[in-house]
Structures are given as structure tokens and as C-alpha cells.
Amino acid sequence: MREKIIIALDVESEEAALSLVAQLHDLAGAFKIGLQLYSRYGPAIVCKVNAAGGKVFLDLKFHDIPNTVARAAEAAVETGVWMFNVHAAGGKKMLREAVLAAVRQAGKLGVPAPLLLGVTVLTSMSEAELHKETGVSRALPEQVTALAVLCREAGLDGVVAAGPEVPSIRRACGLDFLIVTPGVRPAWAVPNDQQRVITPGEALALGADYIVIGRPVTAAPDPRAAAELLFKEAGKGKLC
Ligand code: C5P
């Protein structure tokens, strides 16, 4: 169960991030480093979290021309990440180049290739915005599933997806395709700005392989106690 929980290190400082890693590294499966922490501290923060005993999901959502994304993927591999991601909307050529570059670089370094995930449609985007602002005419759930299939065809290991999208992705992409689900809230936690929240147990019961959780643990007065409670609830693994 613990391997399935990824803690989002959305904090202001390196000290705060490393303090959370020290408190939680034996409990959590991995730690997610996003744009906030990476933009401030760079690749060094990945190395420091690794050195403190935490695996890293580098959530930088690369989206650029294939060559640029491939070179960024190589750099991500060099930092020793366990998992990283790219935007599926970059297209098949970009996705494929990212996979090939990561595998090639890992081979050169003699390390396992990190897991590579695609981001489909950001959960902050509404269906109306998707149609009006990006010109996508497909319904949002169809768009998500189509992009997940594209990721699968390009050789990615999986996608990041909200809870409600998990079953249709699972049906379309099969059992060995990873689904990482953020936006989960234990029954005792406040939703913050997350809209369509489900519990960790629900997310896992719907078929998510990993769940990402931040503030209910990282902003708790006692993050370790909050994490323990979370694992207990997620371990029930049933819809409630
Ligand atoms: O604090 P909270 O549990 O809401 O943190 C969720 C984390 O997952 C944040 O780092 C957020 O950026 C990320 N995320 C998300 N929804 C997505 C993709 C990533 O909440 N669709």
C-alpha cells in the first residue's frame, strides 16, 4: 500500500521539503517535485530528496518540439528520477522521442529507465474551456481517453488522470498501463481547491496504480500522523 502513495512536495523552501522527506520517507512510496520547487532549486533538489531516501516523481510536464523534450528527458534521467512526465498534447512524435531518449540515456548511465507518464487534460480545465479556448470538439472524457491511448501507442508507461477518468482509461489501455491519480482527499481532510475529489480508497478501487496527495499530509500539524491515517484509510481499498 505504501508504495502506492506519492506525497506532493508543494512547499516554498528546500528546508521544508527535506523536513517532510525526513519525516515520511519510510512511509511514502515517492515524493513529487513540481514546478514550484524545481524552479527555485533546480536538479539539486532531486538529488537531495534521493539522498534523503525518497524516490522522485518529477512533475514538470514537458511540452515542446520533439528534440527539446528529448534533451530535457535525458537531463531528467541524469538527476536520478524514478518517474517524470510530458504533455500528451505534444503529439506522438514528441512522446516517442521522449521515450527513446530516456531509455537511451538510462542505458548509457547503466541505470533503470524512469517511468514516463503523459498528462492528458489538466483537471483545472473545464469542458467548456476545452472546447472554447483550445478548439477541441471531442467531449472531455473522450479526449482524455484518446490521449491516453496515444501515450500507450507511443510507448509511455502510463498517464496522470483524475479519479473519474480512471475506469475508461483502464478499459482502453489495459491492466499494465500505469494510472497516477491526484486530487484525492481522505474523508477527514478539507478539499482545498480540488473540485471532484474522491478518497484514496476510492481511487485505488477504481484502478489507480498510484495516488498523489499533498496538503492533507504536508500541511497537517503532524504530517507523519496524517500519513499514517491516510494509509489506514487507503488500505481499505474499497468504494465508500
Ligand atoms: O495538495 P493536493 O493534494 O491538492 O496536491 C495535489 C498535487 O497534484 C499538486 O501538486 C497538483 O499540482 C497535482 N495535480 C493535480 N491535478 C492534476 C495534476 C496534478 O492536483 N490533474
Side-chain angles (χ1 to χ4, degrees):
M1 172 54 57
R2 290 176 177 194
E3 290 73 53
K4 291 177 175 288
I5 315 277
I6 301 172
I7 303 288
L9 293 176
D10 296 324
V11 289
E12 295 264 316
S13 71
E14 181 179 294
E15 293 69 31
L18 294 177
S19 161
L20 284 165
V21 176
Q23 290 175 71
L24 301 172
H25 73 90
D26 60 326
L27 289 181
F31 295 89
K32 183 169 86 69
I33 293 177
L35 288 165
Q36 180 184 4
L37 214 48
Y38 195 86
S39 299
R40 191 160 281 142
Y41 298 105
I45 188 67
V46 177
C47 303
K48 287 182 182 174
V49 171
N50 277 335
K55 289 194 297 190
V56 172
F57 167 20
L58 189 62
D59 180 21
L60 300 182
K61 302 183 181 70
F62 297 144
H63 188 176
D64 210 312
I65 59 170
N67 181 62
T68 302
V69 168
R71 302 292 80 79
E74 287 166 2
V77 173
E78 284 164 23
T79 64
V81 298
W82 161 70
M83 175 187 272
F84 72 106
N85 58 10
V86 296
H87 264 290
K92 203 170 197 171
K93 210 188 291 171
M94 187 206 85
L95 295 169
R96 191 73 200 134
E97 288 288 322
V99 173
L100 293 175
V103 169
R104 206 170 36 234
Q105 192 69 353
K108 263 193 208 163
L109 299 173
V111 297
L115 297 167
L116 180 48
L117 304 179
V119 176
T120 55
V121 178
L122 294 171
T123 48
S124 52
M125 179 164 279
S126 69
E127 176 125 28
E129 286 165 345
L130 180 75
H131 299 319
K132 273 198 208 133
E133 296 176 12
T134 71
V136 171
S137 55
R138 269 196 291 235
L140 193 145
E142 282 174 36
Q143 176 70 358
V144 167
T145 306
L147 288 173
V149 169
L150 185 74
C151 289
R152 168 138 210 145
E153 289 170 356
L156 273 71
D157 299 290
V159 286
V160 181
E165 293 149 15
V166 172
S168 60
I169 294 172
R170 182 64 69 216
R171 273 194 300 278
C173 297
L175 287 176
D176 59 345
F177 193 66
L178 293 178
I179 306 177
V180 177
T181 299
V184 293
R185 283 293 177 271
W188 43 266
V190 293
N192 307 110
D193 51 357
Q194 296 287 8
Q195 300 287 338
R196 295 175 298 150
V197 298
I198 59 172
T199 68
E202 285 172 329
L204 296 172
L206 284 171
D209 296 286
Y210 296 97
I211 54 175
V212 175
I213 188 152
R215 288 160 291 179
V217 171
T218 58
D222 182 346
R224 198 173 166 91
E228 293 277 16
L229 204 57
L230 171 82
F231 297 136
K232 219 161 139 191
E233 181 176 312
K236 289 179 191 157
K238 60 178 196 274
L239 290 166
C240 35

